[in-house]
Amino acid sequence: MPEKIMLVLTMSAIALCVSSGAYAKKCSRFVTAQMRANALANVEKFDWAANEQKNAIAAAERWLNVSDEELWALVTSQELPRASITNEGVLYKANQPGCPNCGPEALKHGSRWWKHDTANAPWKLKCPNCGELYPKNDFYAFYKTALDEHGMFRRNLGDRSLLFNAEHPDPDDPLHKLYVDDGYGMVDEKGNVHHIIASYCQWAQWRGTIYPALAVLARAYTLTGEPKYAHKCAVLLDRIADVYPEMNFRPLHDLGFQHSQGGTGQGRIEGCIWETFVAQRFAHCYDLIYDGIQNDESLLNFCSQQAKNYQLGDKTTIAAICRHIEDNLLMEALKSCRDGRIRGNVGMTHTSLATSAIALDRADVTEEWLDWLFDPRFPGEYSNHKSPVSWVLIEGLDRDGMGGECGGYGFIWTGRMQELAQILSSYPDYTKHDVVADYPKLKQTFFIEPRLNCLDAVVPNIGDSGATGTWGRRGRASTFAQGYKLYRDPRLATIAWREVKGNIGRLRLTDDIFEADPEALGKEIAAVAKGEEYGLNSDHTGRYGQAVLQTDSPIDGRAVWIHYGYAKGHSHADCLNIGLFAENIAMMPELGYPEYTGSWPKRGAWTSNTISHNTLQVNNSRSAYSPGGKITLFAVQPPLRTIEVSSLTAYANIQTYRRTVALVDVTDTNSYVLDVFRARGGNSHRLSYHGASETATVAGIAPVKQAGGTFAGPDIPFAKLDGDDAAFYKASGFTYLYDVERSQAVDTYYTVDWNCEDLRGRIKPGKQPHLRIHALTPCDEVALCSGEPPQNKSGNPRRLRYLIQSRRGEDLASQFVTVLEPYDTNPFINQVHKLPVEHNADPDSVTAVAVDLADGTTDILINCEQPTRVKVEGEIEFDGQIGMIRIVNGEMKLMRMSNATLLSYRDIKLVAARAAYEGTVKNIDTSDPQNNLVFLDPPLPRDAHLAGQTIHFDNDLPLDTSYQIKAVTAEGISTGDITIIRGFKDKADFEAGYEYLVNVGDRYTVPSTVGLER
């Protein structure tokens, strides 16, 4: 564009902000005239900026070649349904999904397998599995006959003679009416209803066409200043504002159409959850192009003529068109954020409302809506769960900055709160609240993603997240750069710089092109960042309940994690579940996201049930939903890293549910895991493991193949959930385990080996990873079975092989002892065996294991439920909780012990003055959010090198309250910027003060960890 034209456009747009008008909004807010001028200047200065502009123009070019009339006609109205799933009744009636022709075989292409081609096959969906196109009628011909005087679809007006199967045009043909859809579904030969047109309307018309057109046109305007892009975007927005007041998903839900509405049935164009994104996009695009349409005579002519032709009200001025969009789109969205028709996961409603209110830009009205975000009654009377910004950023987020749900759902909270801070910064007129200054926990949302990564490579698929065996790393340079921009914390600069590996260009944020100096932030981060070598840390979180033990380097790294979250949404019944990453794969892969949510039967009975996880089932039933757990030991002193977690709320009426997990390094590339699971109470204990393979090899026992049926019994068919024993089937999950082999009364050492299969392309050439389990526990039965991951997730295996060790008896007590050996091609463990022990404690509270390695080394591992004095065969004495001796060629090589005072081998002794530092919390001080203080009685010695160690606080809270000691003070410890505030005393009155995670009178423990090497 010539420089003079750019200057005129820029100056005229800037003038809009100071001009007066007949209505409130004066100018664009998210990308102002000055920001657009900056972008045009940057395009002249920087190649990367010129490329951004070039790409934006290319993306929008298609829509410039579409007439205004054609754009306008793209927008469908309320009575043409939208559906996220074609098969009726999948989410809430448990109907089986599938293609009308090839049935459930289509699911291997994903849960939304249908393909569309708007150019060559409009209003048709194609099954990628069998190639069939549906519906068989020409729906668009019918659609055009069903438009009313406002250009809106009314099914009852359509010419129904057009509703016939075009492949069978003869009215006497019995197939003449088969596979015909009038917008409200078609019926197959078996009477099943398929919402083909509604799904097309959702995925092809709105998601595939209208939304992206709005986005690319608005972006092109901001990067060029050329009104032609704003014009096309405004044509769409004006027409959407015509239809939006009538948009209401509830009537469609009542007719059986399915969408993202979380069981409420509410929504507008889409279900209420996804509608948050829809409304936010509309508002954002309107604000971006607002300046560009103020002098658009062709827009005025077109909209006013359409209004006249279709009886759509006053559009005789640009002001009237803008008022129409604001009143019938933005205000409608704001009202829906309050009445529940727009309501998403935490953070989604907030950003949608804030964007709409700022785009509206009517001073008093906008302020009132932004105030509502912080009101204790937010989001409205429709919700019993109030989630104003103050609650989210003080109580809703965990102390570590993670959202109140599992996996990707929790990251919705963190990402949306980060986004909210950015949105509000676009409206400096609002000064009542500053989310960055007023809510310090927000900063932790920028740290939590790298903290949850294992091996700097993968976040465990806890709860409804991911797919079987997938590796999903969290953390982007832009997120860390944005965090640094907000807080100027050098730690965030260091993380961001490490993420980009020296490529400063990757530190540019999406909107940096609109800055006067778009490279200033990247240069500052590079200057501040510390260049230290990156190393991994074993870590634990509080309420989210993920702890990881991992090697110091991600190269050939190994990591074991355990889950003990409390009250987390989208959880599974998986308390004290563990996972293992080694040889670049998930050795014990989580099943991940279910085939469908809602009341999909397999979800509750299998995918999210206890027995499908690597944990312990009690009483043939699922554990409690996200019951929480307490870390009682967290000790890291390589080669030994140990965690112990207890949960007395996992099951009712149990006395013990406790798991000790230790990661033991053998070489720089090999580690094994000691797993000790103790349980007391109930009449059955079943420890479930599974590996990354459809088959497993057993040695040491000879299980007998069961003749048919499932783990529920030889006569019980797969997936049976009804009948007299329906409650048992649903609670146990046993009918989803098949191909059963059983061994009775096993009291010998045996192994199970999974030759891991590579469905994710993660196994390196020349490698063949295995997981071998060394089982040391006498059982009433050992069984191998097959269980299915969700079958509509691309890359998921057809089945996985499960090992289930069962013990039965009244008021049962169990101590399951297992060693997990991940290896490549050749095992590095020869054998594992228990060692005789002498002690005065409960027999199920102490175990000692010898691990004989292939190179002749022997590791002795001793674990006690509580610190216990023990004699172990081989002239070994121990007094404590966890101890390790490594013997090479008959000589002691190293010793490690935690929460212990003595470990001896023959004449060599490792001693400690105390097993742990213990005392009581005397006071707390949260006045400085960057330095949370806990005063201890007695205080810790300042010369004991305890910074970085874990302090455990014993209290009645259901979630873990262990903290890393950031500093030892004269009177206690600091937890740094990890808060000890739990939440509000009164969620309806924020002035009533706080509840705390650490309280006066709590007992504290800091276990000692010592070692010896020779």
Side-chain angles (χ1 to χ4, degrees):
M1 181 188 298
E3 186 175 345
K4 286 186 178 180
I5 297 178
M6 290 194 298
L7 180 62
V8 170
L9 287 172
T10 301
M11 295 307 296
S12 63
I14 291 174
L16 287 170
C17 287
V18 295
S19 65
S20 60
Y23 53 98
K25 186 173 178 66
K26 302 296 191 297
C27 58
S28 297
R29 287 290 192 161
F30 291 112
V31 177
T32 65
Q34 184 59 61
M35 293 168 69
R36 292 196 302 275
N38 291 341
L40 293 174
N42 289 329
V43 166
E44 297 299 318
K45 294 178 185 177
F46 304 106
D47 288 343
W48 62 263
N51 285 332
E52 280 196 33
Q53 185 194 67
K54 180 181 177 181
N55 292 337
I57 291 171
E61 189 67 24
R62 167 192 174 190
W63 301 108
L64 295 183
N65 297 322
V66 177
S67 71
D68 290 352
E69 288 79 6
E70 289 174 304
L71 278 176
W72 191 89
L74 288 174
V75 179
T76 62
S77 54
Q78 163 66 11
E79 290 190 27
L80 186 58
R82 290 77 58 200
S84 63
I85 299 174
T86 55
N87 301 91
E88 185 186 47
V90 170
L91 294 182
Y92 299 102
K93 295 181 181 178
N95 289 350
Q96 175 67 39
C99 168
N101 181 53
C102 63
E105 280 295 309
L107 294 176
K108 64 186 179 184
H109 296 275
S111 57
R112 299 185 182 96
W113 66 90
W114 294 100
K115 305 298 179 184
H116 61 262
D117 183 348
T118 56
N120 299 306
W123 297 100
K124 302 283 186 183
L125 292 181
K126 182 177 181 179
C127 176
N129 191 62
C130 66
E132 280 294 312
L133 282 169
Y134 295 100
K136 299 299 184 179
N137 59 302
D138 182 351
F139 173 76
Y140 189 57
F142 174 74
Y143 175 85
K144 289 184 291 185
T145 68
L147 300 179
D148 69 4
E149 67 274 17
H150 306 299
M152 298 184 188
F153 179 79
R154 308 294 180 193
R155 179 174 59 156
N156 63 302
L157 298 180
D159 181 354
R160 302 196 71 80
S161 69
L162 299 172
L163 296 173
F164 62 88
N165 187 326
E167 297 174 4
H168 300 273
D170 184 352
D172 295 328
D173 189 327
L175 302 181
H176 184 64
K177 292 290 186 178
L178 188 66
Y179 300 132
V180 170
D181 192 337
D182 66 354
Y184 284 72
M186 68 178 200
V187 180
D188 63 22
E189 295 97 329
K190 297 178 181 179
N192 300 311
V193 177
H194 301 264
H195 293 140
I196 299 294
I197 292 299
S199 186
Y200 182 97
C201 189
Q202 162 66 28
W203 297 111
Q205 199 71 4
W206 285 97
R207 284 284 184 105
T209 303
I210 297 170
Y211 301 161
L214 288 169
V216 298
L217 288 165
R219 179 72 173 172
Y221 170 69
T222 63
L223 292 181
T224 64
E226 295 190 36
K228 62 184 180 181
Y229 300 108
H231 171 95
K232 292 294 186 181
C233 189
V235 168
L236 281 170
L237 288 170
D238 173 71
R239 182 53 176 163
I240 294 169
D242 290 339
V243 305
Y244 200 73
E246 196 176 274
M247 287 292 191
N248 184 6
F249 194 77
R250 182 75 214 195
L252 304 180
H253 169 78
D254 292 342
L255 290 172
F257 295 93
Q258 298 161 105
H259 222 295
S260 62
Q261 36 78 21
T264 67
Q266 299 291 350
R268 299 290 305 246
I269 296 173
E270 302 191 8
C272 58
I273 298 173
W274 291 352
E275 191 71 12
T276 58
F277 302 124
V278 174
Q280 185 172 351
R281 184 190 295 270
F282 292 160
H284 190 242
C285 289
Y286 172 66
D287 183 76
L288 293 181
I289 58 102
Y290 177 84
D291 291 349
I293 63 174
Q294 296 309 302
N295 298 309
D296 190 341
E297 288 295 323
S298 64
L299 177 69
L300 177 60
N301 292 336
F302 174 76
C303 291
S304 60
Q305 187 61 49
Q306 291 294 92
K308 181 179 179 180
N309 293 344
Y310 291 94
Q311 305 174 38
L312 297 173
D314 177 27
K315 298 185 185 180
T316 56
T317 65
I318 290 293
I321 294 169
C322 289
R323 174 68 72 168
H324 171 62
I325 295 172
E326 292 170 16
D327 287 350
N328 294 307
L329 198 53
L330 274 60
M331 284 300 297
E332 283 288 318
L334 287 167
K335 290 186 290 185
S336 291
C337 286
R338 194 158 182 168
D339 67 23
R341 286 182 292 169
I342 296 178
R343 57 182 295 189
N345 298 64
V346 170
M348 291 162 62
T349 312
H350 303 74
T351 54
S352 188
L353 184 151
T355 302
S356 296
I358 292 172
L360 184 68
D361 196 13
R362 299 177 187 171
D364 292 342
V365 177
T366 294
E367 182 174 292
E368 288 178 6
W369 280 106
L370 295 180
D371 286 345
W372 179 243
L373 286 170
F374 298 87
D375 192 297
R377 297 168 295 174
F378 178 90
E381 294 181 3
Y382 69 84
S383 175
N384 293 324
H385 176 66
K386 307 306 179 186
S387 58
V389 172
S390 304
W391 176 85
V392 176
L393 292 177
I394 289 177
E395 181 173 334
L397 292 176
D398 301 346
R399 69 175 199 200
D400 305 292
M402 184 55 172
E405 299 179 86
C406 289
Y409 285 100
F411 290 125
I412 290 173
W413 296 43
T414 61
R416 292 296 160 182
M417 286 297 109
Q418 294 166 2
E419 183 184 359
L420 181 64
Q422 188 172 357
I423 291 169
L424 293 176
S425 71
S426 301
Y427 197 71
D429 301 26
Y430 188 72
T431 58
K432 290 185 179 180
H433 299 276
D434 183 334
V435 295
V436 175
D438 298 345
Y439 303 100
K441 193 190 288 185
L442 177 65
K443 182 164 72 170
Q444 298 307 317
T445 66
F446 294 96
F447 289 109
I448 190 59
E449 292 190 355
R451 286 187 62 194
L452 293 180
N453 282 330
C454 294
L455 303 177
D456 193 35
V458 52
V459 173
N461 292 330
I462 292 172
D464 292 341
S465 60
T468 310
T470 53
W471 282 46
R473 183 180 184 274
R474 298 294 304 202
R476 296 181 299 174
S478 58
T479 300
F480 305 132
Q482 180 66 31
Y484 177 77
K485 183 179 180 180
L486 292 176
Y487 293 100
R488 286 328 198 255
D489 188 317
R491 294 174 296 174
L492 287 167
T494 299
I495 297 171
W497 188 243
R498 178 180 63 83
E499 195 72 20
V500 301
K501 298 178 174 62
N503 183 352
I504 198 169
R506 290 180 58 203
L507 291 172
R508 279 192 299 272
L509 304 178
T510 302
D511 288 341
D512 276 355
I513 194 171
F514 302 112
E515 298 287 339
D517 184 353
E519 298 193 335
L521 179 64
K523 291 176 181 177
E524 182 179 338
I525 288 173
V528 171
K530 298 177 181 178
E532 73 253 19
E533 185 177 346
Y534 178 71
L536 301 178
N537 295 306
S538 296
D539 199 2
H540 56 86
T541 60
R543 180 184 163 210
Y544 187 66
Q546 176 185 306
V548 58
L549 305 172
Q550 58 187 342
T551 53
D552 296 340
S553 171
I555 300 173
D556 295 320
R558 291 82 64 203
V560 61
W561 57 266
I562 187 168
H563 176 57
Y564 48 93
Y566 173 69
K568 307 299 289 189
H570 280 275
S571 286
H572 291 180
D574 61 350
C575 188
L576 304 196
N577 181 38
I578 65 170
L580 176 62
F581 298 114
E583 301 295 338
N584 208 42
I585 66 168
M587 289 277 176
M588 307 161 70
E590 286 294 282
L591 300 189
Y593 207 89
E595 281 149 337
Y596 298 97
T597 54
S599 55
W600 178 244
K602 186 179 176 183
R603 179 194 190 190
W606 171 246
T607 310
S608 66
N609 208 339
T610 306
I611 199 67
S612 71
H613 295 79
N614 295 292
T615 191
L616 184 76
Q617 184 199 69
V618 177
N619 289 339
N620 297 324
S621 184
R622 65 174 61 87
S623 63
Y625 183 86
S626 197
K630 297 271 197 176
I631 299 176
T632 55
L633 178 67
F634 189 86
V636 176
Q637 192 179 36
L640 177 66
R641 303 168 183 85
T642 308
I643 185 171
E644 182 179 84
V645 187
S646 173
S647 178
L648 291 177
T649 50
Y651 283 93
N653 303 316
I654 59 169
Q655 295 77 53
T656 305
Y657 196 78
R658 182 187 296 256
R659 193 167 204 168
T660 303
V661 179
L663 180 69
V664 184
D665 297 342
V666 174
T667 65
D668 290 341
T669 58
N670 286 323
S671 302
Y672 62 85
V673 176
L674 173 68
D675 181 18
V676 182
F677 209 132
R678 297 181 174 97
R680 296 182 182 89
N683 54 34
S684 74
H685 296 164
R686 302 185 192 269
L687 183 59
S688 177
Y689 291 108
H690 61 272
S693 175
E694 293 191 15
T695 60
T697 303
V698 182
I701 58 174
V704 177
K705 187 172 181 60
Q706 176 178 289
T710 60
F711 191 61
D715 299 323
I716 309 300
F718 178 76
K720 182 176 176 59
L721 296 176
D722 56 5
D724 294 341
D725 294 320
F728 166 73
Y729 300 147
K730 293 175 183 178
S732 68
F734 292 171
T735 65
Y736 284 90
L737 288 163
Y738 59 95
D739 288 344
V740 181
E741 299 176 84
R742 302 180 190 260
S743 277
Q744 304 297 327
V746 174
D747 60 2
T748 60
Y749 163 69
Y750 64 94
T751 63
V752 180
D753 192 306
W754 287 265
N755 186 350
C756 300
E757 297 165 357
D758 188 16
L759 296 179
R760 301 289 178 188
R762 299 204 56 83
I763 296 179
K764 297 177 181 179
K767 298 278 190 176
Q768 185 47 67
H770 289 247
L771 172 65
R772 186 165 62 151
I773 281 181
H774 302 258
L776 301 171
T777 308
C779 292
D780 296 296
E781 179 186 80
V782 172
L784 281 92
C785 320
S786 293
E788 295 181 354
Q791 291 300 294
N792 60 355
K793 305 295 183 287
S794 179
N796 272 8
R798 181 66 184 85
R799 60 185 63 82
L800 297 172
R801 199 65 172 158
Y802 280 73
L803 165 68
I804 299 176
Q805 303 173 73
S806 300
R807 303 187 73 249
R808 296 183 288 267
E810 294 301 317
D811 197 19
L812 189 60
S814 296
Q815 178 178 243
F816 290 91
V817 181
T818 313
V819 170
L820 284 61
E821 177 193 8
Y823 69 91
D824 170 35
T825 308
N826 298 310
F828 60 83
I829 295 177
N830 280 344
Q831 66 170 349
V832 179
H833 55 99
K834 281 188 178 181
L835 295 174
V837 292
E838 296 179 19
H839 58 87
N840 294 322
D842 184 326
D844 293 309
S845 69
V846 177
T847 190
V849 173
V851 180
D852 296 329
L853 303 176
D855 65 0
T857 299
T858 296
D859 287 348
I860 308 296
L861 296 164
I862 309 163
N863 175 239
C864 305
E865 190 172 2
Q866 301 293 336
T868 303
R869 184 82 177 197
V870 184
K871 288 186 177 181
V872 181
E873 181 184 75
E875 301 180 69
I876 298 169
E877 291 191 27
F878 178 63
D879 192 351
Q881 191 170 2
I882 185 76
M884 173 187 174
I885 302 172
R886 176 159 288 169
I887 302 169
V888 180
N889 298 324
E891 299 293 329
M892 191 283 294
K893 193 69 175 178
L894 63 80
M895 290 180 170
R896 298 287 187 266
M897 66 179 187
S898 295
N899 202 18
T901 55
L902 171 67
L903 178 60
S904 69
Y905 174 68
R906 297 176 181 170
D907 58 348
I908 303 170
K909 289 187 177 182
L910 175 63
V911 296
R914 59 177 56 81
Y917 297 93
E918 298 178 300
T920 306
V921 175
K922 187 168 62 175
N923 203 355
I924 57 174
D925 181 358
T926 61
S927 58
D928 180 358
Q930 304 308 311
N931 187 30
N932 288 266
L933 298 173
V934 182
F935 299 89
L936 305 175
D937 182 22
L940 299 174
R942 303 191 73 178
D943 60 351
H945 306 293
L946 296 175
Q949 300 297 308
T950 296
I951 183 169
H952 308 281
F953 295 104
D954 187 16
N955 48 47
D956 293 331
L957 297 178
L959 67 160
D960 182 63
T961 53
S962 302
Y963 282 81
Q964 184 187 74
I965 299 171
K966 296 299 175 65
V968 178
T969 67
E971 298 181 84
I973 61 106
S974 169
T975 64
D977 55 7
I978 304 296
T979 187
I980 58 174
I981 295 173
R982 185 184 185 193
F984 293 105
K985 287 183 178 178
D986 185 346
K987 293 177 180 59
D989 179 10
F990 293 161
E991 301 301 318
Y994 299 130
E995 295 179 330
Y996 297 91
L997 293 164
V998 181
N999 293 278
V1000 173
D1002 288 354
R1003 296 287 300 170
Y1004 78 82
T1005 303
V1006 182
S1008 297
T1009 297
V1010 295
L1012 174 66
E1013 298 188 47
R1014 295 184 67 180

